[in-house]
Amino acid sequence: MSEYIIQTNNLTKQYGEQKSVSAMNLHVKKGRIYGLLGRNGAGKTTTMKMLLGLTKPTSGSIKIFGKSMETNSKDILPHIGSLIESPGFYPNLTGTENLRIFAELRGINKSKCVRDALEVVGLPYRDKKLFAEYSLGMKQRLAIALAVMHNPNLLILDEPINGLDPIGISEMRSFIRELCDVHGKTILISSHILSEIELLADDIWIIDNGILLEEESMKELAKKNSRYVNFMVSDSQRAAEILRTEFECDDFQICDKNRLQLYNTTIPRAEITYVFVKQGLEITEVYLCEETLEDYFKRVTGGEGIA
Amino acid sequence: MGAIVKTELLKLKRYHIIWAGIALMCLSVLLTLFTSMANDGAVWDFRYLIEQVIKNNMSMIFPMCIALIAGYIISREEKDDVLKNIVTIPVSFKKLLVGKLIVCAMLSILFGFICTIFTLIAECIVGFPGFTINLVIQGLVQITLENLLLYLAVLPIIVVTSRLSGGFMIGVIIAFVYGYGGMFAAGNMTLANIYPITASLGLIWYRSYDTSVKWSFSLCLCSLIIIVAISVILIATMKEKDNKKIRAKTKKIKPKKGW
């Protein structure tokens, strides 16, 4: 079997003239959480829909669990749990009744699976509240319960924390992390909240205009991200001279009259500060700056933000 | 398929549309009672009442009623955005549709029972002569079977309009016109035997008052077999469409008039 759980080859989806997803080559390894980042309309949901067979690709191929999705979807899909776009359930039924229907169709032990899945997401079993009366957060929880109810090996979750309250987000984060770390599930997750992806994902994909711009592990990303020490001093030119003469360092940038950014973060800050003061410079601020995922996203997509 | 049918039955819980069907069955009997008040020289007895209920059901109520209920049941997944959860199980739309059509056949039988009960209530209230248990049993079988056969007669309309988003109302209109056409077909022997709506009457040995009509059981059976075959072909050749979310129509906000 292939080392990848998901492997796509030049996956493309075109609606008329517009390419929603363009020649995408994805590689998903077992037991990792993949964060899918992109602006609205970048092609995240379309990619997920193609992986689930909800939309047929215009060209390219998809392999899941080493099998072609085109010819083996009946074997593959029972091992996948998914949440795509908004939660869709029967409004005239309760949460438990809704899950029972899906359990029946999946041919699994109804009562136990439904009770366990509802417990995991913090929804009551056999509650009398109809789905139509649920809040957005409750609907989202029910959708996650449906995705995990049949104990799938792969989870594809499109914006799973939409509508959840802060506690709910934290609980969901722990739950998803546990699914991956303890149970060895592979999870594909998209979110608009960059900080969530940063906290959750092992690997990230950045998609823009249907093109996969980056496929990187968070560890590699951390290495790539620029770090620098920011100095606010009385004379940045004088500070630059001191760095050159006393520390033999040219890896800095003078931003303005008072601000200097030092990219060599190996020199102890206390030592530099001591020398600056000794040479008669006044220092108002010294701090370490690190590029966030948002900064990185902006840099890669060349945009102003995700939304 | 058993699981699909079972879940389709579970989904009927709290469906108001079922009550609409029951109300239409009541309307069918009420309509018959109204016609009994007409001074047209007809002598009304219990048997005649049952036959008139069957006739009204055939021509005006049931084809439209079952097209409405089936269309509503079939369109639920797309309307409530549940289809994506079913297709990824995986259960194909075709299988789901077949399951729903089986449930609709069950509902047709149920409505037949209900219509018979309303007919019996009407008989109790009005008290037409000639009431016998044999006639009750015959009425129950005829009304129920007629409902099922009428459902089979409108099946192609239900199947064709099933994939049109919000298209089932078009199906309801077509089914009504198609059912009403039975009134005209009933006056001609050949037409009555081959027109699927009236052919259903031939299969339940409906007593026709038009002397020109002599039921040909085999011709009536052929007519309905062809209709069912057309439905099967339509389902078999149906393409699985890309899952698209049905967007709720946004209400147009009317500008306020005046101050």
Side-chain angles (χ1 to χ4, degrees), chain A residues 84 86 88 90 92 97, chain B residues 11 13-14 77 84-85 243:
Chain A
I84 297 291
S86 54
Y90 299 100
N92 55 314
E97 286 167 349
Chain B
K11 287 177 206 171
K13 202 172 176 182
R14 303 184 197 96
E77 273 69 21
K84 61 188 178 191
N85 294 336
N243 177 269

Side-chain angles (χ1 to χ4, degrees), chain A residues 142-191:
Chain A
L142 190 66
I144 294 165
L146 174 67
V148 300
M149 183 175 67
H150 56 294
N151 193 24
N153 297 322
L154 172 65
L155 276 166
I156 297 178
L157 307 172
D158 187 17
E159 310 272 356
I161 54 167
N162 260 7
L164 295 183
D165 54 52
I167 301 294
I169 291 174
S170 170
E171 283 171 1
M172 208 48 66
R173 192 193 305 139
S174 311
F175 172 60
I176 291 172
R177 199 64 256 180
E178 188 189 309
L179 279 175
C180 179
D181 296 340
V182 180
H183 304 284
K185 310 286 180 198
T186 309
I187 299 160
L188 207 65
I189 187 167
S190 79
S191 177

